[in-house]
Amino acid sequence: MSCCFLKRLLPFAALICLGAFPIIVNSQSKPLVVATASIFADMANAIGGDLIEVQSIVPIGGDPHIYEPTPGDVRLLLKADLILKNGLTFEGWLESLIANSGSKAPAITLTEGINPITSSQYQNATDPHAWMDPVNGKVYVQNIRKAFAAMLPEHTAAIDSAAESYLARLDALDAYIREQIRRIDSTKRILITSHDAFHYFGRRYGIQLEAILGTSTDADVRPSDIVRVQEVIRQNKVPAVFLESTINPKLLQQIATDNRIRIGGKLYSDSLGEEGSPAGTYIGMIRHNTDVIVDGLTQSSPNSGMEESGTRSNLIWLLVGILVVLGTGAFLLSTRKKSTR
Ligand code: ZN
């Protein structure tokens, strides 16, 4: 009797253990796409529109390099129909999260097909920040388009149309960046940031990158990196350094103070800005970064300004000195003439 009772309870116990999620999956009207970071969630929204529901694991402002998954993420992945990840070691925590959730959703690597940058500082390390170059962004879009068309074959036409218009916007963004970067003096095209997230951007648009941290944010700052960055600032009279939205600004602020240069503004690399803000979408974020960088690097260095004003005041004092000497000479000459009469 009791054994029979237990057998009847088993299916309910299994459902309780799973949080009753299979029921929610079946009742979903739209497929759930789970992206690891807000940037990829925005791309997915732009291409899938009303056909899908999109959620990001790492929230806006969070740092995906050092993200610690929550029980809520386990439940979210179990409901997912498709997972979008960057790959290139960006989401070191994802594999075990998927395994723990028991999710069977396909995980699409968005960087499939890009030409990755290998780190110059760390052996066998690949730079994950491929989306920072909007031409790479087009590869992300094509991968999303393919995955969505396979998931919703009856909506291929709508998905293709949305993808095409998004690709055209990325072409326009690429042209805009090229035009803007040309405004920066070629000797001043040096971008100093907290962590190495801008190499793909720099490779595409001809900007030298110098960062205090490497391509991930989980390493400690090495004194040699600070010395290297300070040297670059001094030798090239770099006018500004740039903060990042997901990283503690203290060290860069100190470097700016020590070198008497500006904070050029805040850049977005691993997370979008708040919803509705200029950097609240992928395209908006890259455009915002471009505007901030161009604005910061087209202004003269406060240091050189101080040197210039110093030189100017020295000249003024020299002129005053000459006038005083000439005036005194003229006065003495006139008094001598008077006395000889
Ligand atoms: Zn990063």
Side-chain angles (χ1 to χ4, degrees):
M1 178 88 175
S2 62
C3 178
C4 199
F5 179 66
L6 275 176
K7 270 185 188 168
R8 274 189 212 158
L9 268 184
L10 265 176
F12 293 104
L15 274 182
I16 290 165
C17 288
L18 290 171
F21 291 110
I23 295 168
I24 296 173
V25 170
N26 293 336
S27 67
Q28 262 174 218
S29 54
K30 293 177 185 179
L32 174 62
V33 176
V34 174
T36 52
S38 52
I39 295 154
F40 320 133
D42 178 61
M43 290 175 172
N45 260 323
I47 298 154
D50 289 339
L51 299 171
I52 53 164
E53 195 198 330
V54 183
Q55 297 262 352
S56 169
I57 296 176
V58 181
I60 285 172
D63 181 347
H65 293 289
I66 52 170
Y67 183 68
E68 289 179 14
T70 65
D73 297 329
V74 175
R75 293 194 290 272
L76 184 67
L77 276 190
L78 192 57
K79 288 191 283 177
D81 294 292
L82 187 72
I83 300 164
L84 300 178
K85 62 171 179 168
N86 184 71
L88 302 179
T89 69
F90 187 50
E91 308 98 338
W93 39 267
L94 185 64
E95 210 172 306
S96 61
L97 176 63
I98 293 176
N100 285 336
S101 73
S103 170
K104 297 283 178 282
I108 304 299
T109 303
L110 299 175
T111 48
E112 192 77 52
I114 67 126
N115 176 18
I117 291 176
T118 47
S119 170
S120 54
Q121 289 178 44
Y122 305 97
Q123 265 195 334
N124 301 325
T126 311
D127 186 340
H129 307 91
W131 66 87
M132 299 299 282
D133 168 2
V135 180
N136 282 343
K138 290 170 71 178
V139 177
Y140 283 59
V141 171
Q142 296 290 19
N143 286 327
I144 293 172
R145 168 200 224 160
K146 244 187 284 169
F148 284 7
M151 183 171 67
L152 297 164
E154 68 278 26
H155 294 292
T156 304
I159 291 163
D160 280 348
S161 157
E164 284 304 325
S165 83
Y166 198 69
L167 290 169
R169 290 177 67 201
L170 290 180
D171 279 335
L173 178 64
D174 174 46
Y176 174 78
I177 301 168
R178 280 177 201 286
E179 187 191 305
Q180 292 304 306
I181 298 296
R182 271 200 290 270
R183 292 175 48 209
I184 308 171
D185 186 294
S186 59
T187 62
K188 293 284 180 282
R189 290 178 194 167
I190 301 170
L191 180 60
I192 296 177
T193 56
S194 307
H195 93 299
D196 246 347
F198 290 79
H199 274 290
Y200 289 91
F201 186 85
R203 180 173 73 175
R204 178 70 59 192
Y205 303 108
I207 298 173
Q208 180 186 335
L209 276 306
E210 298 290 342
I212 298 166
L213 284 163
T215 48
S216 184
T217 53
D218 59 359
D220 290 329
V221 175
R222 297 182 300 194
S224 59
D225 286 324
I226 299 177
V227 171
R228 172 180 50 80
V229 166
Q230 306 249 43
E231 272 301 300
V232 171
I233 293 172
R234 282 187 203 119
Q235 281 177 6
N236 301 282
K237 294 196 168 71
V238 174
V241 293
F242 299 86
L243 308 180
E244 286 173 77
S245 69
T246 52
I247 299 175
N248 188 332
K250 268 190 178 168
L251 195 52
L252 263 190
Q253 281 170 336
Q254 189 58 49
I255 288 176
T257 310
D258 290 350
N259 292 280
R260 292 185 298 177
I261 62 171
R262 284 189 195 89
I263 297 288
K266 188 165 72 175
L267 304 177
Y268 295 83
S269 53
D270 296 349
S271 164
L272 296 179
E274 290 300 328
E275 210 180 323
S277 70
T281 62
Y282 168 62
I283 289 177
M285 164 186 136
I286 303 287
R287 197 183 163 97
H288 163 91
N289 286 346
T290 305
D291 292 343
V292 168
I293 291 167
V294 172
D295 202 40
L297 297 183
T298 47
Q299 294 186 23
S300 62
S301 160
N303 248 342
S304 64
M306 285 163 89
E307 280 164 20
E308 274 168 28
S309 69
T311 316
R312 211 176 301 137
S313 65
N314 285 346
L315 271 173
I316 292 168
W317 280 116
L318 187 68
L319 278 172
V320 169
I322 291 169
L323 286 173
V324 167
V325 169
L326 286 175
T328 316
F331 174 75
L332 288 175
L333 207 64
S334 69
T335 48
R336 194 182 295 169
K337 274 180 186 170
K338 275 180 193 166
S339 61
T340 52
R341 272 178 205 161

